[in-house]
């Protein structure tokens, strides 16, 4: 907990720290009052008696390439001119265009001689860099210290009885005054910059840098003269004395150390990376950032038996973000060099980013810097795993500086452009999403944050697939197996539109059964290598949010391919001959024409499987001459066979870890959540699941046999052995013995605690969540060049697996359909390049992960809304983990993971009792103080404890505030 608080304090302190990149607004200059005014008397004499120094610097600056700066300014100015101006800003811009810059032709009476060498050089070399034709840059120039110094002095000299706001310029120091002129009734004294401090500050301007003078005047001499220049010697000696003082040297060391901490280390070269990976001195892996403590990130090596490497701190993360494939160098632990204990946490730093998987975009709010900086604004992402961004004024929204408060609740999409400072990255605003809290805006923010494209298909692809009145040609029917006489039906969620699959069961003359799984033949309508095919491949998956599905295919093509009842449809079918005890004797594949006789929801099938008395009454309409009794018989037989297949699968070593999924019932008018429930896997769900798994495994074997290089497969790498060992060790004292040697052993050891007979739902949720953490993500891949171990699917415990059963919503399935069609000689063998298949697999992996994340975020959004509408919501939570100052819990009715902190607001005392055998065995002792109505109460909290909690939605629509309720 202390680490988390430290990181939060550090972040908050950085947020409130004034920016050093621009001047304070107190330095602003009233241009109206100073323009065209004359000075009645000169102020003082020059400090530089000749122009030698300025000539030297001027000749040096002529070699500087500032044409690029002028070009950038010109382009930005053109963009400002061509952009449509707003009425409220028109007058301001017009006045700024009329501003005149002081010129060196002004008479001595009109302009005080403050330091002509500095001033004239400023006017001739610095001012042109501010692109005077651009009104925005001209306004910025008015805040330059030198420009303010000259104009303020003129203004003061003319009107000594009118005190002005003095900018915090290094040219106006009240200390160390020489040759000064006092002006009556003013709170300050104007002086020449003759002191060492003033000289040092002046020379810190980029174009008047001391290093330039020293380079051209190595021995204190002007290049154009053989005589020593006394002014340069004075400057050098003054600065030398200042810099050589012990205090200054100490400050410089501290400053240098701080600067080094803010900078990232350079990446290694590709040659060094390849060598390091080859000799195992470097580790390659996927970066995961702790969402609750952004300072900590982890990288899993290819060796899953070892411990994950901790990347501690943003500097060591070295600009890598969530999901990036990085190369890590282990940092030696100087305190424990002789410690060979494997349990010791390994630490490392990122030395190379092999693949930037993260989009570098984020959702957040835009606010002014604490010092009201006019050059940079602060962008604060909602996701704390991303850095805060400095946003330049060039992409601020309209009137942002003057009316920043009106943007407090506005969500923006921002993109990281560069990142060279550990505190801030440089970014730009991509678009205005809308007001936070609005459900439509929040949904758009989710889609933008997960980089999911929901742009509808345009008219350019409309002619690439048939219309809804499409009739299957007789020629096509003759090429296919006619299955329209089969008792064939679909079982899907209620009101499902994407009906990818249907099933059939027919009794054979020998007493066995022919079971068929019929999948929509999307590939027949989606022609390969067309614009539409490329667009669908890019989307890669349908996105399912709570309130809407965003389809991978055009809506009309979805309707055309969905296996609705009562209509002839094209399908790709797999048939098995199966005995009554679920022994599979043979299988075959065929392209077919089908005619579904009924569209069932899971509840309809479940009622038949449970032999409910009202099963027939709630049954939907049937087609194609089939009756309820026909479908009843098929479902009963499919249910029996699927249960045997399921039992055999788990006995053969499969694993299932159920994660809770919330399902909402939305109001038909408002679209807001009326109620919710936890998705429950019933026998009807398992019936469809078993036959879909069987289909995918059967197809995977065939396409790999026929296309060993192009086979589009799906694997599930083994979990982290180290994490499973640590989990088993921590659960053993709690009476839970986990067997982790294989997926099957793990499943069997979990079954007593999470199976159907388990009555403690909270405990089951905790164990499923803990066992899910060590698991890796399944992935699509191309078979070419892979070892045998790369094909294995850990959870299913099968050697080959793929996706074939959902081509309406997954592009990976379309790839597999094309390969299987080639195997059956319905088409030519694809001539795909290996790299193309790999790229498609990578895109499918990326989009599947992003769509899954968007779905989870959408569920959480509607959960927040439900809690807001019903706040405060009191419910039960089960304890997952106990730490020194907080506990982690799961909200049982929602499956939400939440953290409850114990801080100064807690009405009593708390104490964490740590157990050396493992943190999972720690306890939390609470003492609730007595009140006027209630006595003092002691409470002991352990893992699996059931607690009463209060849920409230926080103000920024980001999370659920969870508080512990006092026990009765």
């Amino acid at each position: 907990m202390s680490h988390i608080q430290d990181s939060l304090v550090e972040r908050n302190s950085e947020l409130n720290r004034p920016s050093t990149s621009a001047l304070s607004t107190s330095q602003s200059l009233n241009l109206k009052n100073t323009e065209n005014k004359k000075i009645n008397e000169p102020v003082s004499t020059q400090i530089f008696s000749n122009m030698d120094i300025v000539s030297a610097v001027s000749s040096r600056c002529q070699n500087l390439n500032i044409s690029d700066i002028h070009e950038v300014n010109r382009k930005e100015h053109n963009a400002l001119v061509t952009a449509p101006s707003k009425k409220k800003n028109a007058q301001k811009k017009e006045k700024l265009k009329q501003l005149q810059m002081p010129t060196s032709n002004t008479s001595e009476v009109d302009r005080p001689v403050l330091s002509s060498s500095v001033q004239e050089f400023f006017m001739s070399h610095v001012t042109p860099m501010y692109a005077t034709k651009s009104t925005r840059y001209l306004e910025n120039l008015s805040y330059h210290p030198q420009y303010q110094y000259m104009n303020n002095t003129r203004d003061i000299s003319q009107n000594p009885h009118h005190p002005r706001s003095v900018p915090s310029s290094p040219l106006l120091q009240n200390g160390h005054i020489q040759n000064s002129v006092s002006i009556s009734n003013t709170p300050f004294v104007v002086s020449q910059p003759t002191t060492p401090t003033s000289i040092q500050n002046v020379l810190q301007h980029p174009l008047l840098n001391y290093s330039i003078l020293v380079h051209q005047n190595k021995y204190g001499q002007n290049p154009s003269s053989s005589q020593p220049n006394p002014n340069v010697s004075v400057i050098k000696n003054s600065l030398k004395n200042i810099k050589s003082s012990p205090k200054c040297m100490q400050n410089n060391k501290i400053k240098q150390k701080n600067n080094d901490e803010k900078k990232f280390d350079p990446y290694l070269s590709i040659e060094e990376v390849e060598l390091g990976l080859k000799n195992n001195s470097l580790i390659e892996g996927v970066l995961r950032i702790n969402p609750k403590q952004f300072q900590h990130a982890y990288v899993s090596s290819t060796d899953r038996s070892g411990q994950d490497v901790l990347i501690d701190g943003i500097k060591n993360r070295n600009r890598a973000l969530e999901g990036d494939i990085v190369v890590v160098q282990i940092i030696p632990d100087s305190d424990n060099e002789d410690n060979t204990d494997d349990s010791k946490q390994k630490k490392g730093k990122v030395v190379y980013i092999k693949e930037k998987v993260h989009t570098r975009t984020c959702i957040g709010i835009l606010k002014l810097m604490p010092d009201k900086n006019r050059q940079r604004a602060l962008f604060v992402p909602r996701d704390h795993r991303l850095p805060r961004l400095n946003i330049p004024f060039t992409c601020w929204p309209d009137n942002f500086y003057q009316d920043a408060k009106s943007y407090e609740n506005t969500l923006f999409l921002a993109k990281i452009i560069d990142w060279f400072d550990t505190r801030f990255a440089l970014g730009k605003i991509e678009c205005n999403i809308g007001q936070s809290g609005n459900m439509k805006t929040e949904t758009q923010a989710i889609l933008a944050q997960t980089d999911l494209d929901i742009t509808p298909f345009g008219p350019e692809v409309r002619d690439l697939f048939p219309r809804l009145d499409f009739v299957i040609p007789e020629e096509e029917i003759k090429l296919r197996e006619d299955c329209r006489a089969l008792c064939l039906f679909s079982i899907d969620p209620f009101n499902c539109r994407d009906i990818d699959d249907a099933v059939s069961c027919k009794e054979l003359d020998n007493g066995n059964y022919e079971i068929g799984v019929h999948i929509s033949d999307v590939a027949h309508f989606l022609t390969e290598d067309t614009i539409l095919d490329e667009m669908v491949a890019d989307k890669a998956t349908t996105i399912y949010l709570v309130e809407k599905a965003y389809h991978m295919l055009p809506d009309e093509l979805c309707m055309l391919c969905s296996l609705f009842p009562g209509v002839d449809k094209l399908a790709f079918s797999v048939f098995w001959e199966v005995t009554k005890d679920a022994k599979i004797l043979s299988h075959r594949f065929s392209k077919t024409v089908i005619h579904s006789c009924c569209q069932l929801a899971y509840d309809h099938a479940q009622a038949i499987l449970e032999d409910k008395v009202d099963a027939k009454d709630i049954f939907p309409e049937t087609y194609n001459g089939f009756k309820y009794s026909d479908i009843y018989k098929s479902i009963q037989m499919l249910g029996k066979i699927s249960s045997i297949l399921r039992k055999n699968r788990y006995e053969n070593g499969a694993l299932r870890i159920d994660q809770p999924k919330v399902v909402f019932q939305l109001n038909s008018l408002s679209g807001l959540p009326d109620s919710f429930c936890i998705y429950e896997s019933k026998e009807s769900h398992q019936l469809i699941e078993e036959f879909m798994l069987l289909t995918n495994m059967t197809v995977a074997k065939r396409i790999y046999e026929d296309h060993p290089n192009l086979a589009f497969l799906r694997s599930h790498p083994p979990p982290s052995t180290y994490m499973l060992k640590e989990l088993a060790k921590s659960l053993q004292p709690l009476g839970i013995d986990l067997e982790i040697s294989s997926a099957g052993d793990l499943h069997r050891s979990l079954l007593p605690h999470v199976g159907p007979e388990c009555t403690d739902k909270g405990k089951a949720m905790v164990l499923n969540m803990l066992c899910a953490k060590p698991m890796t993500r399944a992935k699509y891949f191309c078979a070419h060049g892979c070892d045998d171990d790369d094909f294995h699917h850990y959870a299913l415990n099968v050697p080959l697996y793929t996706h074939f059963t959902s081509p309406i919503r997954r592009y990976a399935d379309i790839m597999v359909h094309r390969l299987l069609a080639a195997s059956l000689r319905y088409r030519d063998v694809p001539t795909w390049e290996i790299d193309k298949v790999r790229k498609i697999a990578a895109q499918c992996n990326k989009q599947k992960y992003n769509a899954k994340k968007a779905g989870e975020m959408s569920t959480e959004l509607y959960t927040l809304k439900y809690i807001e509408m019903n706040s405060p919501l009191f419910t039960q939570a089960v304890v997952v983990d106990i730490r020194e100052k907080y506990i982690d819990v799961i909200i049982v009715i929602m499956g939400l993971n939440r953290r409850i902190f114990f801080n100064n607001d807690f009405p009593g005392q708390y104490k964490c009792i740590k157990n050396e055998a493992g943190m999972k065995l720690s306890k939390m002792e609470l003492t609730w103080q007595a009140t006027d109505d209630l006595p003092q109460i002691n409470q002991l909290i352990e893992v699996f404890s059931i607690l009463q909690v209060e849920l409230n939605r926080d103000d920024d629509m980001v999370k659920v505030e969870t508080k512990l309720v006092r026990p009765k």
Side-chain angles (χ1 to χ4, degrees), residues 70-170:
H70 285 283
E71 180 64 17
V72 170
N73 292 339
R74 181 184 63 78
K75 288 180 179 178
E76 292 189 3
H77 167 63
N78 291 339
L80 289 171
V81 172
T82 55
S85 61
K86 303 294 181 184
K87 290 183 179 180
K88 56 186 177 182
N89 291 327
Q91 275 189 328
K92 178 180 177 182
K93 288 185 177 181
E94 196 60 37
K95 290 179 181 179
L96 289 169
K97 288 179 181 179
Q98 298 172 3
L99 290 176
Q100 298 293 328
M101 302 300 300
T103 64
S104 57
N105 296 329
T106 308
S107 66
E108 289 299 317
V109 178
D110 293 336
R111 178 169 59 82
V113 183
L114 300 175
S115 175
S116 61
S117 58
V118 175
Q119 290 177 32
E120 289 181 16
F121 179 77
F122 176 81
M123 299 310 301
S124 60
H125 291 282
V126 179
T127 300
M129 297 183 65
Y130 282 82
T132 55
K133 292 183 180 181
S134 169
T135 57
R136 190 184 293 270
Y137 273 91
L138 188 58
E139 180 183 11
N140 291 332
L141 178 59
S142 67
Y143 292 92
H144 193 288
Q146 179 68 22
Y147 186 65
Q148 292 189 23
Y149 172 67
M150 294 183 297
N151 286 280
N152 270 293
T153 308
R154 182 191 307 126
D155 190 37
I156 293 164
S157 301
Q158 182 175 355
N159 190 359
H161 300 288
H162 184 68
R164 297 284 180 192
S165 175
V166 184
S168 303
S169 169

Side-chain angles (χ1 to χ4, degrees), residues 806-868:
S806 298
I808 294 179
R809 62 186 179 92
R810 293 188 304 230
Y811 190 78
D813 300 56
I814 294 173
M815 294 285 289
V816 175
H817 275 231
R818 289 169 177 165
L819 289 170
L820 185 59
S823 294
L824 302 178
R825 302 186 186 279
Y826 286 107
R827 58 161 288 171
D828 295 332
V829 176
T831 57
W832 302 331
E833 293 181 359
I834 300 300
D835 285 345
K836 175 186 177 181
V837 181
R838 286 173 175 165
K839 286 179 181 178
I840 292 174
Q843 179 68 4
C844 289
N845 288 328
K846 172 192 167 188
Q847 293 298 92
K848 185 174 179 65
Y849 172 73
N850 287 345
K852 181 176 181 290
K853 187 164 59 173
E856 292 170 350
M857 293 172 70
S858 177
T859 298
E860 187 155 344
L861 170 64
Y862 277 81
T863 304
L864 286 169
K865 194 64 180 179
Y866 181 86
I867 292 173
E868 177 193 14

Side-chain angles (χ1 to χ4, degrees), residues 434-450:
Q435 292 298 301
S436 64
N438 178 279
M439 297 300 283
K440 185 176 180 181
T441 298
E442 294 288 346
T443 299
Q444 290 174 342
I446 289 171
L447 293 167
Q449 185 171 343
T450 50

Side-chain angles (χ1 to χ4, degrees), residues 669-716:
L669 297 177
S670 65
L672 299 177
D674 284 337
S675 62
F676 68 92
C677 64
I678 294 290
Y679 174 86
E680 186 179 357
S681 179
K682 297 183 179 180
E683 191 178 352
S684 58
H685 301 85
Q686 295 164 8
L687 183 156
I688 294 299
E689 180 186 20
E690 286 307 312
F691 287 113
M692 296 306 113
L693 290 173
L694 179 61
T695 303
N696 289 333
M697 289 185 283
T698 306
V699 172
K701 185 177 179 181
R702 178 60 184 270
I703 64 171
Y704 182 60
E705 288 175 352
D706 294 343
H707 315 284
N709 288 325
L710 296 179
F712 199 94
L713 302 172
R714 184 167 176 82
S715 72
H716 184 208

Side-chain angles (χ1 to χ4, degrees), residues 183 221 358 365 743 766 806:
I183 302 175
Q221 296 177 352
H358 194 281
I365 58 172
V766 171
S806 298

Side-chain angles (χ1 to χ4, degrees), residues 573-593:
S573 305
V574 186
F575 297 93
W576 299 268
E577 184 179 347
V578 184
T579 63
K580 290 183 179 180
D581 56 356
K583 290 182 179 178
I584 299 174
L585 303 178
S586 62
H587 70 268
R588 64 186 177 88
F589 306 95
S590 180
K591 284 207 171 189
T592 56
V593 181

Side-chain angles (χ1 to χ4, degrees), residues 595-606:
H595 192 107
S596 176
C597 65
C598 192
Q599 180 181 352
L600 301 178
Y602 284 117
D603 290 342
H604 299 137
Q606 189 65 32

